[in-house]
Amino acid sequence: MPKSWTDDAPEPMVLHEHAHLADPISYRIKRRLLGNPINRHSLADQRLSKKSAFGILSSDCISSSAYGGEQILVALIPAFGLAAFAIFPPMVAIILAMLLIITFSYRDVIATYTRTGSAYVVAKENFGTKVSLVAAIELMFGYIITVAIQAAAGVAAIISAFPELSDFKVQITLAVVILLTFVNLRGVKDAGLIFVLPSYLFMFSMFTVFGFGIYRNINGTLPNYATRSEGLLPLGESQGLISLAAGLLILKAFANGSASLTGLEAVSDSVPLFKSPEHKNARTTLALMALTLGTLITGIAWLAQKTTAVPYAEGTPTVISLVAKAALGDSAFGNIFFYIVQAGTTFILFAGANTCYNAFPNLVSMVAKDGFLPKRLTQRGHRLAFSNGIIFITGGASILVIVSGASITALAAIYALAVFVGFSITGLGMARKTMREKVSGSRKDLLRLALHSLSGSIALITVVILSAVKFFEGTWIVVIGTPIVAALMLNFNRQYMREREALLLTASHQRATSIARHDVSVLVDNLDLATIGAIRYARSLNPRHLNAVHFVIDDRWAETISAGWAENAAVSDVPLILIDCPDRRLPNAAVDYAIRSTENNGVELTLLLPRRSYSRFLGRILHDQTAETIAAPISQLERVVATIVPFDVERILDGGTRRNALIAPKEPVREVKKIAVAKTQSAETAPVGHYNENILPISNATWRRRAHVRGQVTAIRTAPSGGAPKVEVEIWDSTGGITLQFLGRRGIAGLEVGSTLCAEGMVGEAEGSLTILNPSYEIVI
């Protein structure tokens, strides 16, 4: 184009948005369901405050109180009868002691691993790869089961209020799982805002129930339930506690009750979701979460004992609904508030399931980055959530719901085992870390060592108990499944390592010199516009030799092509080579030709394969995919490159309208905030000076005048290492874009794509676009 100093040169312009491909229908449906995509630079806006984080992440933990105590009674009552209510308080006390120890241990984990304190990270640093894989697997199992069990428990709360829905338990649970998936695919922050209120509603409603229960207990109006009603668990006979059988039954009850502590690990796994300072906010949230859980476990257990609330064999009505009904009474307020309690219980359980949609994708993303899971689990989706991880957990939870019939009892033991394996690895891993790093026998170091050793040991004992007494009731899935999944993950890692080694850039490959003897051959099966386009592209490669090759599988068609080639002036400089293909196996013939053409080690060959693109449906029926079939084996040869040159036939058939249909104006990912600009003089009246103080919209920048602009960095181009040092930075605001050129530099410290930059200097021109040369600049933090 004419240079800027010539008379007939067009005036340089700012950069403008260009047309982009129109969205396919699948993308339009996604955008309609999930909303507009979120700009990746707004990822920090998706972080959670302590208030939101408590509502989201604590829900998994505190919701366990809705069924943890009930599961203890489910094991004790058929074995000990009404004596179970005497054994119940000491078992709850043991659970609370474990809660206290594990909470303090995890607070130290978060303080030590300030970015993420999951069992996987702790194990990887302190025990190595294999133990870390076990931790990752148990965490994944735990999160998947959490979604299933919490959704099932929430549906059980609904059925407790509306028993006529009991026949649709599995279907309703699956619908809840799908709804949670949809909400989380919209983004972490949207999911959090939805589930913050239910968490506080549940706590408020339960504390109200406790208040009413204490008041009615004092004045003697708190009722006792009948213990032999229809549908209740059968009462066992009282027996001594010294026998082996009694001991095993108590251990089974303890194993059931340990489910009350599940969810404590969610905060340490989700530290990156918190606003800065992440670890301090996470520790505060964990402490509040544990305090709330302890209060709820104590209150529900006390009311269950006082009212002799025997669980139902079918699981509904639930114990928490029974104690709420007893505490609130039969008054009009009591009946109304009972439904509020059930709504709070339902939503907190659903919110507990939702917690895993935050923690699980972050966990599998970390594991996938280390090469033990498919890399696609590291990709953020439409709304900056790890969409593949969300779909992964949805599929696993749905299978469990269907297989278990949405049974809480069937899932609770598997759930607790997976979680307590993580507790034990984390506690023992932190103990080992403390021992390695301890430089003196200070009291603080000894207390930390004792805390983590006790936490890990208690959890390990619980793991052994769960594995033994609940093996045939479901924990075999974890015991047997863990080594199988670990072997699969190790196989993934070996494959990634082999691929990485194959692509490793060695010293002999680092000299990216130009190929002196580069030949190009165009594979021809017809003489048409697609072939001419490929020949035109081949000439642009400046090859040493350019040939057209036709593999003969039909003699008459070969003669037709040869005759047409000789008569066509567009290919008069390109020789046509006819090669016999007697067995009609074109890929074999192409490979043989490529090998013969590159017998000399100094020659590289590029094979161009014209590919005609037709309509998606009829094109697949009426035409073959020969180009792809030939390119696949060619790519395995050294010094040979197969390049497919596409040619859109459908566009010609549509009279050129297809391009217009495919092209649409680009829509911004998110509305750009208008920058505040000072009122400026017009370009004609503004004085030409050495500095422009006022920030201009980029579209107002004027050629040959100074401009002070502010925008977001969208592209950074650096000169090759062998060339003159230069950095070009493209910045945009809501009105347009402009290029900044920094000569004599190979980089700008602190500048990255997505940064906000202020720049001031004289506006010049490069290739018809406005450019500011060597501006003064400021990176806006």
Side-chain angles (χ1 to χ4, degrees):
M1 64 180 299
K3 296 299 182 183
S4 58
W5 56 81
T6 60
D7 293 337
D8 57 347
E11 183 175 347
M13 300 178 63
V14 297
L15 302 172
H16 292 287
E17 292 280 5
H18 297 288
H20 290 258
L21 289 176
D23 297 333
I25 187 170
S26 59
Y27 185 83
R28 293 200 297 269
I29 293 173
K30 180 199 292 187
R31 193 173 61 184
R32 182 64 60 88
L33 290 175
L34 304 182
N36 287 327
I38 299 177
N39 193 314
R40 69 181 183 87
H41 300 299
S42 63
L43 182 60
D45 297 337
Q46 301 294 300
R47 299 292 184 92
L48 303 175
S49 64
K50 283 182 287 189
K51 184 186 299 183
S52 296
F54 182 77
I56 299 172
L57 300 177
S58 67
S59 53
D60 178 17
C61 184
I62 63 178
S63 62
S64 302
S65 63
Y67 54 83
E70 178 176 352
Q71 292 303 310
I72 296 177
L73 292 174
V74 166
L76 290 178
I77 285 176
F80 298 98
L82 293 180
F85 288 103
I87 307 171
F88 189 35
M91 297 203 70
V92 171
I94 294 172
I95 297 294
L96 292 175
M98 291 173 60
L99 169 64
L100 182 66
I101 294 169
I102 293 174
T103 299
F104 277 109
S105 177
Y106 266 87
R107 275 176 57 85
D108 191 51
V109 170
I110 294 172
T112 305
Y113 295 91
T114 57
R115 299 306 301 173
T116 179
S118 72
Y120 173 70
V121 175
V122 176
K124 184 170 65 172
E125 180 175 317
N126 298 289
F127 291 123
T129 299
K130 292 183 179 179
V131 177
S132 71
L133 286 184
V134 172
I137 292 166
E138 303 313 321
L139 287 172
M140 289 190 291
F141 278 168
Y143 288 134
I144 292 172
I145 299 168
T146 298
V147 174
I149 195 172
Q150 300 277 42
V155 172
I158 296 175
I159 295 174
S160 297
F162 305 99
E164 58 272 16
L165 296 175
S166 59
D167 292 338
F168 305 99
K169 184 178 180 181
V170 173
Q171 293 88 331
I172 297 173
T173 305
L174 288 174
V176 169
V177 172
I178 293 171
L179 178 62
L180 291 173
T181 303
F182 169 73
V183 170
N184 281 275
L185 286 174
R186 288 187 59 88
V188 171
K189 198 170 185 179
D190 283 358
L193 294 175
I194 292 173
F195 288 106
V196 166
L197 183 59
S199 299
Y200 293 109
L201 173 63
F202 174 71
M203 289 183 281
F204 168 74
S205 63
M206 289 311 301
F207 290 149
T208 303
V209 168
F210 297 159
F212 271 81
I214 293 170
Y215 173 76
R216 297 192 70 187
N217 183 62
I218 292 173
N219 64 21
T221 60
L222 187 66
N224 284 332
Y225 283 106
T227 58
R228 295 187 181 275
S229 300
E230 183 181 356
L232 295 178
L233 286 173
L235 295 180
E237 298 296 329
S238 298
Q239 56 179 297
L241 303 179
I242 308 301
S243 67
L244 177 62
L248 289 176
L249 290 171
I250 290 174
L251 288 177
K252 184 176 181 180
F254 169 76
N256 280 9
S258 62
S260 300
L261 303 185
T262 54
L264 277 173
E265 76 290 348
V267 173
S268 67
D269 292 343
S270 304
V271 174
L273 294 178
F274 284 83
K275 289 184 176 179
S276 183
E278 292 90 345
H279 68 287
K280 290 184 178 179
N281 291 332
R283 294 185 76 205
T284 303
T285 301
L286 177 63
L288 291 174
M289 182 177 77
L291 178 63
T292 305
L293 175 62
T295 305
L296 291 170
I297 291 175
T298 304
I300 294 171
W302 177 77
L303 281 173
Q305 185 195 33
K306 288 294 182 181
T307 60
T308 59
V310 177
Y312 278 75
E314 293 293 327
T316 54
T318 59
V319 167
I320 193 172
S321 70
L322 294 174
V323 300
K325 190 71 174 177
L328 295 171
D330 293 326
S331 64
F333 171 81
N335 288 328
I336 293 173
F337 202 81
F338 171 74
Y339 286 101
I340 294 176
V341 172
Q342 290 306 101
T345 305
T346 299
F347 287 124
I348 189 64
L349 288 163
F350 292 164
N354 178 74
T355 301
C356 302
Y357 283 93
N358 298 308
F360 180 87
N362 279 288
L363 170 68
V364 295
S365 173
M366 285 192 297
V367 179
K369 285 179 181 176
D370 291 338
F372 294 100
L373 286 174
K375 294 292 186 183
R376 63 180 60 205
L377 291 171
T378 65
Q379 299 169 357
R380 293 189 181 270
H382 189 75
R383 301 282 292 179
L384 289 183
F386 292 108
S387 303
N388 292 324
I390 291 173
I391 294 171
F392 185 175
I393 193 173
T394 298
S398 299
I399 293 172
L400 284 176
V401 168
I402 294 170
V403 171
S404 68
S407 169
I408 300 171
T409 304
L411 294 170
I414 313 172
Y415 179 26
L417 176 59
V419 172
F420 271 86
V421 170
F423 286 167
S424 63
I425 290 175
T426 301
L428 297 176
M430 287 297 296
R432 183 172 185 178
K433 180 179 178 66
T434 305
M435 291 180 64
R436 282 207 317 257
E437 297 180 354
K438 185 176 64 175
V439 295
S440 64
S442 66
R443 184 179 179 183
K444 181 179 178 181
D445 288 337
L446 292 176
L447 284 175
R448 287 184 65 206
L449 179 60
L451 172 66
H452 294 303
S453 299
L454 182 60
S455 172
S457 300
I458 290 174
L460 185 60
I461 293 170
T462 307
V463 167
V464 174
I465 294 171
L466 284 165
S467 301
V469 304
K470 289 282 190 175
F471 184 83
F472 295 106
E473 296 179 35
T475 57
W476 63 268
I477 296 175
V478 177
V479 175
I480 297 175
T482 297
I484 295 174
V485 177
L488 186 64
M489 293 171 69
L490 286 170
N491 187 57
F492 287 158
N493 185 254
R494 282 193 294 269
Q495 180 63 24
Y496 278 128
M497 291 294 292
R498 286 196 296 267
E499 293 170 357
R500 190 178 299 116
E501 289 172 2
L503 296 173
L504 186 64
L505 186 63
T506 62
S508 61
H509 296 141
Q510 289 181 9
R511 294 189 305 163
T513 56
S514 300
I515 303 301
R517 302 174 65 184
H518 177 214
D519 296 340
V520 176
S521 295
V522 181
L523 302 190
V524 174
D525 64 348
N526 201 350
L527 181 56
D528 54 15
L529 288 177
T531 302
I532 297 299
I535 294 292
R536 186 182 301 116
Y537 173 66
R539 290 194 183 102
S540 69
L541 299 177
N542 297 321
R544 182 186 63 154
H545 299 305
L546 172 57
N547 298 304
V549 177
H550 174 70
F551 297 111
V552 180
I553 57 177
D554 183 325
D555 292 323
R556 291 189 177 181
W557 183 244
E559 291 175 4
T560 302
I561 291 178
S562 181
W565 201 269
E567 297 172 359
N568 196 311
V571 292
S572 58
D573 59 329
V574 181
L576 176 63
I577 303 174
L578 301 179
I579 298 177
D580 189 23
C581 184
D583 58 1
R584 299 167 303 285
R585 298 172 65 188
L586 293 177
N588 281 11
V591 169
D592 183 63
Y593 171 75
I595 292 173
R596 285 188 285 106
S597 300
T598 55
E599 287 178 341
N600 189 320
N601 290 333
V603 175
E604 290 212 3
L605 175 68
T606 296
L607 289 180
L608 300 183
L609 297 89
R611 183 184 64 188
R612 298 149 185 87
S613 300
Y614 303 93
S615 63
R616 291 186 179 180
F617 178 69
L618 280 179
R620 292 184 178 276
I621 297 175
L622 301 178
H623 303 279
D624 58 23
Q625 303 293 321
T626 308
E628 286 81 358
T629 306
I630 296 175
I634 290 294
S635 63
Q636 301 176 24
L637 302 177
E638 291 187 6
R639 294 179 288 109
V640 181
V641 176
T643 302
I644 295 176
V645 183
F647 186 84
D648 193 347
V649 179
E650 196 66 17
R651 175 173 61 87
I652 300 175
L653 297 177
D654 292 344
T657 59
R658 187 168 186 241
R659 181 177 185 276
N660 296 330
L662 287 173
I663 301 300
K666 182 181 179 184
E667 296 181 13
V669 171
R670 170 174 281 187
E671 182 180 352
V672 181
K673 294 180 180 179
K674 300 290 185 180
I675 59 172
V677 295
K679 187 174 182 180
T680 60
Q681 295 174 286
S682 66
E684 288 78 9
T685 60
V688 177
H690 296 290
Y691 185 78
N692 189 341
E693 184 69 32
N694 301 322
I695 294 181
L696 298 170
I698 289 178
S699 62
N700 288 1
T702 306
W703 184 35
R704 294 177 177 172
R705 291 188 179 274
R706 301 192 73 86
H708 193 177
V709 295
R710 170 177 171 148
Q712 189 176 59
V713 177
T714 61
I716 300 175
R717 291 184 291 273
T718 57
S721 57
K726 181 177 70 171
V727 177
E728 291 186 354
V729 179
E730 200 172 286
I731 65 171
W732 288 73
D733 65 11
S734 57
T735 66
I738 196 168
T739 301
L740 313 177
Q741 273 193 7
F742 298 89
L743 302 181
R745 309 180 67 160
R746 295 201 180 276
I748 298 175
L751 186 68
E752 57 187 27
V753 174
S755 301
T756 300
L757 191 69
C758 281
E760 194 280 337
M762 181 63 71
V763 180
E765 174 271 344
E767 301 296 332
S769 299
L770 295 182
T771 302
I772 301 179
L773 183 64
N774 285 332
S776 58
Y777 68 93
E778 177 184 3
I779 300 174
V780 180
I781 305 299

